[in-house]
């Protein structure tokens, strides 16, 4: 699934970091926030609970609480204020289309 964000510079500087979204291996870049890495590989972070729209984070600085994601260990983090780590497993709800 193509992501919502696109990097403007190619090839990208820095090290590639592998992580997993819903069991699918994907890559981000060292220094990316988890939200940036998710949205470069996935259309949305979650389904809106107030309507039929997809949500993709809003403020990118940890204030709006729109980017909470669940990790494979059951923990939850704000993706916009969490740095991408090698091997992290993220569980995202599948969007209802």
């Amino acid at each position: 699934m193509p992501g919502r964000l696109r990097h403007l510079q190619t090839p990208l500087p820095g090290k590639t970091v592998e992580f997993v979204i819903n069991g699918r291996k994907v890559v981000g870049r060292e220094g990316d926030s988890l939200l940036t890495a998710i949205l470069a590989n996935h259309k949305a972070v979650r389904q809106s609970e107030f309507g039929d729209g997809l949500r993709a984070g809003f403020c990118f600085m940890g204030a709006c609480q729109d980017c909470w994601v669940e990790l494979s260990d059951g923990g939850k983090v704000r993706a916009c204020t969490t740095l991408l780590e090698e091997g992290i497993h993220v569980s995202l709800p599948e969007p209802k289309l």
Side-chain angles (χ1 to χ4, degrees):
M1 171 187 302
R4 182 175 293 262
L5 297 180
R6 301 280 186 268
H7 287 101
L8 295 177
Q9 181 180 356
T10 55
L12 294 173
K15 178 183 164 194
T16 299
V17 178
E18 290 187 359
F19 70 110
V20 178
I21 299 175
N22 294 346
R24 181 175 60 101
K25 285 186 178 182
V26 293
V27 295
R29 303 304 293 181
E30 187 175 60
D32 277 352
S33 70
L34 183 55
L35 182 60
T36 300
I38 289 170
L39 293 179
N41 290 284
H42 204 72
K43 288 280 187 199
V45 174
R46 63 185 180 85
Q47 186 81 27
S48 173
E49 63 270 18
F50 303 111
D52 61 357
L54 298 175
R55 303 297 293 180
F58 178 69
C59 71
F60 284 86
M61 63 182 194
C64 74
Q65 310 294 312
D66 200 43
C67 66
W68 284 97
V69 296
E70 188 171 337
L71 305 179
S72 62
D73 65 4
K76 292 186 178 185
V77 296
R78 274 189 236 140
C80 74
T81 58
T82 301
L83 284 178
L84 178 63
E85 295 177 12
E86 185 79 34
I88 196 168
H89 286 241
V90 179
S91 297
L92 301 176
E94 291 300 328
K96 300 170 194 155
L97 301 175

